[in-house]
Amino acid sequence: MAEPVDAAPQAGESELEAHLETKRMIVNLGPSHPAMHGTVRMRVELEGETIVRADPEIGFLHRGFQKSCENVTWTQCLPYTDRLNYVSALMNNFGFLNAVEKLIGLEIPERAKFIRVIGSELHRMADHLTCVGAVALELGGFSAFLYAIEARELLVDRVTELTGARLTTTFGRVGGLNRDLPDGWVDKVLKSLDKIALLRDEVDALLTKNRIFVDRMKGTGVIAAEDALDYGFTGPCLRACGVNYDVRKAHPYWIYPALDFDVPLGRNGDNFDRYIVRIEELKQCDRMVRQALSLLPPGPVILDDWRIVLPPKPEVYGTIEGVMAHFKLIMEGIQVPAGEVYDCTEAANGELGWYLVSDGGGRPYKVHVRSPGFAILAGVPRMIEGRMLADLIPTFDTINMIGGEVEQ
Amino acid sequence: MSVFALDRIAQKFPDALAHRYTDRGGGAWGVVKPGALREVMSQLKNDPELEFKLFLSADAVDRLQLPDPAPRFEVVYLLRSLKRGEVAQLKVRVPEEAPELPSVTPIFQGANWWERFIWDFYGIRFAGHPDLRRILLYEEFKGHPLRKDYRLRDRQPLVPERPLRDIFRGPGTSGAA
Amino acid sequence: MSEKEQPKPAAAPPPGPPPKPQPKNPGFVTATVDGREVVVKPGTNMIEAAKTVGSEIPYYCYHPRLTIAANCRMCLVEVSNAPKLQPACQTPLSEGLVVKTATARVKEQQRAVMEFLLLNHPVDCSICDQAGECKLQDYYMRYDHKPSRLEGSKILKSKRKVLGPQVVLDQERCILCTRCVRFMQEVAKEPQLGLFGRGSNERIDTFPGAALDSNYSGNTVDICPVGALLNRDFRFRARAWFLSSAPSVCTGCSRNCSTFVDFYGQDVYRYRPRENEAINKSWMCDHGRLTYKELNRDRALQPLAGRGPDARDVAKAEAAKVAATKLSALAGTPGLAVAISPNCTNENIMAAMSFAKDVLKVPHVHVSGRPTGAADHLLLTADRNANRKGLEWIAAGFGLQVKPFDELSRGIDGGAVKALWAVGGDVPEDLGAFTQIASRLELFVLQAQNESRLGAVADVLLPASSHVEDEGSVANQDGIVQRLRQAFPPKGESQPHWKWVSDLHAALGITTTWASAREVWRALSNRVPELASFEWDTKAPPAREARGLKPIPAAADGRPPGYREYGAPRVRGI
């Protein structure tokens, strides 16, 4: 850029042609800022409209997840896991439980696997809808945001009927699920999916071919596939770069091998591709949920072993064995054998990994969450340095960085 | 760690691996000596047959309360190879007296923030890191909270809290503010 | 038979038993437990031998200090020299034996024994004190985690039957291991419990018209593996998993039984005996158990200056200043007397005596303390003060003469003693009478742990913390020195005695290097030959006990869940 020059017009130059003095400015975005999802502070060094340097500062939502988990029993960790990616809490819950079950060496009942998949896909839809809606909102398309949120409300209602909570579900236990599906829930979900499909198509119609939207999203926030892998991108952000990696296909778990679905891929790794991948994934989730609901087998939703699972209440109140098992499991926790394990599931934003260490007692020794958002946020400076400030906003939206997950 | 990758590393760098074992879930782990860390990581990333290019994460474990607490820290690295479809699980043992490791940020950009996290919460330095400062906690914070000898209850408010004994601030926080 | 037949040649005698195998390690017995070799002294039973290689065999009725009953059948293991499972508590190891404690047969046996024990066990966990330290609970989760197969009702027996002043019995919860019966018979030598009835109606009880009033009845509560015998004093007061345990010593008499202090926040809920082969084995007397109440009741928590109606709250520094200036004004005069209680720890006594000798320049100290009682046949001594031996050693080491307390009261009465500095507020005479006498003093500085009438006539009352609120050491009447660990920080404004002495020094402008009890020890113990050889640092037991068979998982900082640090007490009316 031009060096600062004396602002006064030279001889022969009119005021209109005089050079403007420029200097670099450091602008602070956030942490309390509607576009900085989940309280992130971006210190951007601007040269005019161009971002020369961007430095995200995080930590405003750090609540001591790991330290808290080390001081409570395994089952008591579940509410903490809800609050990681709070938009899709079921995926955090089930991911954590999956890792604990792998550490103990448990095989959960078939029905539990199906319901876990259904719950995960419903919350994946909620997450993608929120992301797409937020993108539209911050680029000025308020209606699309409202449609997306209305669709999300339907999902949240269904999840409330299933788990009892709108957002922080704490659903599932080591060995399966704590509750079976309510009566009539399957039909309600199918009806909701129909409605959500309509809303999704509406959002798609409003945005995908919208000139303003396309201009702002295409070609902005670009990251090459090599860089994305280097930073540790996974999930829709990585797939938008064209890398075909989805944990559900690469290392299938639960009932994903039995389900028929595609993995949408992008090409350019820009904001628009991330958005398109999410829209397409919404369609795939719908497909998966419908298949899973039709294949749902009857049976128990949790294991029968009282070393892991609380006994049924009539036994707890009626027999000494039941009350003793209940007492020990609640007070001392599930005695997970000493060891470590790394397990991952495909959350809405990418590979949600869990590295658990147990010392043989009822409390975790270490719970490391490999949150997909952490790695992606680290790559944001790479995506926007050299671009314009206005491109920062859609970039921040499409990476779907959820503060709770990034900052644990 | 995939056994193939471990074998390959053992082949190329015979002295790099101090130990190999398999965990409860069936995954293979390689315990790498600190001096060989950069070579091993570089090999894992660039070897055309391995191609562990996806840096998943890095974290540390404080082994103070385990039956054999020495050396005190274990830094765990997790890498993924899309070509092979496997996860590489590496560990480096770091003693308490000299909590330092070579940084792998020059090799994997993604390690930058994870190493800052480990520095913030465990106090393990990474030599060669471009910008090693606290990431989630504020600069004035003293101590490294995820260490097992950092008490759950210790709060370090930047703004002094009002001394109300009736407010229960959560498990482990002192009744006196 | 004809006479002509030759007598048949005698048949060869049948072969005798095979010769005993030569011991692999002469003088010891070598056997294999779970694939690992053990070498133990002859006569060691299998439970102890298995412990040495880390194999845990469960048991209820076995206790290392009682005779063997082998009636619970929980410890049955598979052995190579018998087709049936053998009780590990009863069977000593023989040479070359192969013992397996975790085969399918043994596991099924353990499960079956648990099932039988639980058949008639009442559903009482929610109201039973033993929850959290109950062997039935712990073994159930490990060896039998199956639902009940009982159809029908359980046998009904007496519940909450008061057996004595300390013990209440719930006969339904009893598993008839007879540990209590054997203990009372063999250790306490007062056979006040017995087994009555047969079969399902068998029950533990006292003899008709008799009570379980031995001074050792509390131990039956400790050794009862289930919640059948419970301590009436502790009943319904706290849940075991909320209590932390610090190792300490009972200060009720000069036996100094080793104890665990169970506390929550800053309140002590009970004492439990700690195993100490040299002093109290695994037992404690009831008198000592109840001395924990002094740590909670009527504690002096606020320094006071002024006598009677003039008493006002003062800050610690001001109280020390007032006391120090007034005492030092009388230093060296015959009218100044010092009384030290033998219930203080060694560190407190050393600090007090160093002040008495070096600053106050008194030639002798008087010994206060609690009045003498009656000794019993086992643990309780007549001298009801914890550290008289320590006090005598320290006085000798510092060159101070020790005088009895009645000389002091006569001196005050006669007017020879005008000022008194008392470290410790227990008095071996009648408290009321001594309070009258003490009110004649011109200056009375009292460092006491509990509020009392005596404190009301003190000119300066310096609240002292108890022995569980600081690290320390005490010596019992046999000269055994033990270390005490700190359970929680001093309550209110109280401080250990040595800290008050340090403050008195500071008020007079003399610096001391005593920042902790350890520093007091290091600075002063070399003046006392008997204490100089005691390893203060290494002889200390670990600061907290891990509780239970499978200890409640402590948090990363060692505290149980829901632990609320040093705040308002959860239970009123302690």
Side-chain angles (χ1 to χ4, degrees), chain C residues 487-503:
Chain C
F488 45 85
K491 285 176 107 157
E493 296 291 306
S494 66
Q495 291 184 136
H497 288 292
W498 61 259
K499 191 93 182 30
W500 282 119
V501 173
S502 175
D503 286 351

Side-chain angles (χ1 to χ4, degrees), chain A residues 67 70-71 73 305-307 315-325 327-329 331-332 335 360-363, chain C residues 118 121-123 125-126 131 136-138 140-141 145-148 154 239 241 550 552-557 560-561:
Chain A
K67 192 85 178 170
E70 288 170 15
N71 286 287
T73 64
D305 187 346
W306 290 2
R307 284 171 298 183
E315 300 265 1
V316 170
Y317 291 127
T319 64
I320 180 70
E321 286 87 347
V323 72
M324 289 204 291
F327 250 76
K328 294 300 256 189
L329 281 175
M331 289 317 300
E332 293 184 4
Q335 307 292 315
R363 294 187 181 192
Chain C
L118 295 173
H121 197 84
V123 187
C125 286
S126 354
L136 276 181
Q137 277 184 348
D138 296 332
Y140 172 77
M141 290 307 282
H145 33 84
K146 304 277 186 292
S148 174
K154 305 197 177 206
R239 273 308 199 184
W241 49 75
K550 185 74 186 175
I552 302 287
D557 57 1

Side-chain angles (χ1 to χ4, degrees), chain A residues 55-128:
Chain A
D55 180 20
E57 185 180 323
I58 58 177
F60 298 96
L61 195 53
H62 174 69
R63 295 153 297 177
F65 168 77
Q66 285 198 34
K67 192 85 178 170
S68 305
C69 280
E70 288 170 15
N71 286 287
V72 291
T73 64
W74 291 96
T75 316
Q76 288 174 313
C77 281
L78 270 177
Y80 289 120
T81 59
D82 287 335
R83 288 149 173 84
L84 287 173
N85 186 334
Y86 33 74
V87 189
S88 53
L90 283 175
M91 285 199 271
N92 299 130
N93 291 337
F94 295 150
F96 173 71
L97 293 172
N98 212 33
V100 178
E101 285 151 10
K102 188 171 171 189
L103 185 52
I104 304 177
L106 292 177
E107 187 71 29
I108 62 176
E110 272 303 298
R111 190 175 167 87
K113 288 186 190 167
F114 270 84
I115 299 178
R116 280 193 181 178
V117 166
I118 294 167
S120 296
E121 295 307 319
L122 287 178
H123 258 194
R124 193 190 310 276
M125 287 171 73
D127 207 336
H128 287 333

Side-chain angles (χ1 to χ4, degrees), chain A residues 119-305:
Chain A
S120 296
E121 295 307 319
L122 287 178
H123 258 194
R124 193 190 310 276
M125 287 171 73
D127 207 336
H128 287 333
L129 282 166
T130 319
C131 178
V132 164
V135 172
L137 173 70
E138 286 168 23
L139 295 182
F142 200 67
S143 311
F145 172 69
L146 287 178
Y147 289 139
I149 293 300
E150 186 180 336
R152 183 175 164 235
E153 278 299 305
L154 288 167
L155 286 168
V156 159
D157 284 341
R158 297 291 82 76
V159 168
T160 311
E161 283 156 14
L162 176 65
T163 67
R166 281 169 60 89
L167 209 59
T168 50
T169 50
T170 318
F171 195 55
R173 298 288 183 265
V174 181
L177 302 168
N178 48 326
R179 211 180 283 126
D180 204 340
L181 302 179
D183 292 332
W185 191 76
V186 173
D187 294 319
K188 279 188 178 171
V189 168
L190 289 169
K191 280 216 197 84
S192 297
L193 284 178
D194 293 333
K195 189 82 200 289
I196 290 167
L198 287 175
L199 289 163
R200 176 200 72 223
D201 290 338
E202 189 74 41
V203 170
D204 195 9
L206 277 174
L207 296 177
T208 309
K209 296 219 164 70
N210 182 316
R211 183 59 197 266
I212 302 175
F213 189 79
V214 169
D215 272 350
R216 281 205 70 179
M217 297 276 279
K218 256 207 178 14
T220 58
V222 182
I223 188 161
E226 278 297 313
D227 284 330
L229 283 175
D230 209 30
Y231 274 99
F233 280 36
T234 47
C237 294
L238 183 64
R239 293 197 278 276
C241 302
V243 180
N244 186 354
Y245 173 60
D246 186 329
V247 182
R248 295 170 293 176
K249 289 282 194 197
H251 311 278
Y253 50 97
W254 299 333
I255 55 153
Y256 286 111
L259 292 180
D260 195 17
F261 64 103
D262 302 315
V263 174
L265 288 178
R267 256 196 305 260
N268 309 318
D270 60 6
N271 286 330
F272 192 73
D273 279 2
R274 288 193 274 273
Y275 155 80
I276 283 289
V277 164
R278 290 210 158 85
I279 291 280
E280 291 300 316
E281 280 200 8
L282 279 171
K283 298 180 188 161
Q284 298 302 317
C285 289
D286 178 298
R287 221 173 130 190
M288 280 193 266
V289 173
R290 285 180 202 271
Q291 284 177 50
L293 285 172
S294 66
L295 295 170
L296 192 61
V301 290
I302 198 161
L303 293 176
D304 209 5
D305 187 346

